[in-house]
Amino acid sequence: MIDYNQINSVHLEISTRCNAACPLCPRNTAGYDEDLGYPVTDMTLPQAKRIFTPDFLRQLDHVLINGNFGDFITAKDNLDIVQYFYLCNPALKMEISTNGSGGRPGLWENLAKLGDIEIGFALDGLEDQHSKYRRNTNWRQVISNASKFIKAGGSAVWRMIKFEHNKHQIDECQRMSKEL
């Protein structure tokens, strides 16, 4: 059995909503369905405070906010939750995975100023290939949001899934990633 007091890393899904329509995602193959475990829901700040007490957060070294069930940018309390985590544990290392094609004004700049956050932006190729998989996302918006985050001091990673349709762009994506 896991000793609660020895947990130092957490994988967190804060939303089941997503603005994208990636063809292999269960939301798009089966739809939102309570029986399949995909109710439409976001974690709220009050829920986060109940689940992640200040004492528990202080014992954590790392939090990954991932996008297996939904995207970080769609959660209404996303910034408030991250701010709360850093208020309780300023030394926390956080990773956030996102398609990055959205977010309220100031989100990216505010995230960059909070703490040790690395954001992985899902960019599956250059503009002409990206949306073949990341449907309903806007490549230029992702680049703009990543640039805002980086310019405000944030650490960003270009996350690319290699497909037949985009593999010829890997070198150019790596070059552009370093340039950004």
Side-chain angles (χ1 to χ4, degrees), residues 77-95:
D77 289 351
N78 55 13
L79 182 60
D80 294 335
I81 291 169
V82 173
Q83 286 173 325
Y84 166 69
F85 283 15
Y86 277 110
L87 179 67
C88 294
N89 183 353
L92 188 64
K93 165 74 174 137
M94 189 173 294
E95 290 177 73

Side-chain angles (χ1 to χ4, degrees), residues 98-100 108 119-123 142 145-146 149 156-160:
T98 180
N99 67 52
W108 305 106
I119 296 187
F121 289 90
L123 284 156
V142 180
N145 290 337
F149 180 69
V157 175
W158 184 310
R159 295 214 173 117
M160 179 175 172

Side-chain angles (χ1 to χ4, degrees), residues 122-134 139 143 158-178:
L123 284 156
D124 292 332
L126 300 173
E127 186 173 10
D128 65 325
Q129 299 299 316
H130 168 76
S131 64
K132 287 185 178 179
Y133 183 74
R134 302 285 172 182
W139 187 88
I143 293 294
W158 184 310
R159 295 214 173 117
M160 179 175 172
I161 299 173
K162 182 172 93 172
F163 294 106
E164 281 299 314
H165 66 265
N166 68 3
K167 69 181 183 181
H168 67 285
Q169 296 183 336
I170 290 174
D171 291 341
E172 180 62 18
C173 290
Q174 287 175 334
R175 185 201 62 73
M176 187 174 183
S177 173
K178 290 175 185 172

Side-chain angles (χ1 to χ4, degrees), residues 1 13 28 32 39 58 94 124 146 151:
M1 177 173 263
E13 302 281 334
N28 298 309
Y32 287 96
R58 280 191 287 276
M94 189 173 294
D124 292 332
K151 285 178 184 161

Side-chain angles (χ1 to χ4, degrees), residues 57-71:
L57 284 167
R58 280 191 287 276
Q59 81 185 36
L60 296 180
D61 299 322
H62 179 261
V63 172
L64 165 63
I65 298 179
N66 206 14
N68 289 331
F69 291 99
D71 200 284

